[in-house]
Amino acid sequence: MYPNTPYTITTPTPWNPPQTPIGQPVILPAEIPPGVDWVTLPNGVRTLAYTQPAPPPQVPVTAPQPVPAWAKTTALLAPTVGGGIAAGGIGLSYAAPGLIAMSHALWSAAALLVATVIAVPILLRTACRATGNGSGAGQGGGATHITQNITATGMFGRANGTIHHR
């Protein structure tokens, strides 16, 4: 038919069925493995291809700052203060029996002082009445009366007074 054609045209026969175009298989997005993505080539054809993951954004690295002096001082003081508190606690635990005994002794001394303050005037009053001094109870007389008169002239004047015994 066409003498200049480099190919031959065949007619379909039962031994040679017509060629039907094969459609592209459909791939669901869930079936695409990681690292593979749809890309558009320069000629406009979209195809699946291996892709490189996008690099993470680079955070600018700053130079390390020196440790401030106050932080060093605090770091050195923390174990020292903690050790001092621990030593004080241990000392108090050893001293606790003595501190309890001193507490009891102080309460006893306070009770003795209060008893003395109350008992001494009562004993003196009783002793004076028995000997007849002071109120005159031993002589059979009445109570002693003392009258005192004080006079002063002016706001800042000198005061004068007299005492009368009856």
Side-chain angles (χ1 to χ4, degrees), residues 51-136:
T51 57
Q52 296 292 328
Q58 294 292 332
V59 177
V61 178
T62 59
Q65 299 295 325
V67 176
W70 65 266
K72 290 179 184 177
T73 304
T74 303
L76 291 174
L77 281 177
T80 305
V81 171
I85 291 172
I90 292 170
L92 281 176
S93 70
Y94 282 125
L99 291 175
I100 292 171
M102 285 194 322
S103 169
H104 290 302
L106 286 174
W107 278 114
S108 299
L112 181 64
L113 183 64
V114 169
T116 303
V117 167
I118 292 173
V120 168
I122 293 173
L123 290 174
L124 287 176
R125 183 180 299 155
T126 306
C128 287
R129 285 187 179 169
T131 60
N133 297 335
S135 65

Side-chain angles (χ1 to χ4, degrees), residues 1-2 5-12 16:
M1 300 200 334
Y2 301 103
T5 56
Y7 51 88
T8 59
I9 298 175
T10 58
T11 58
N16 188 11

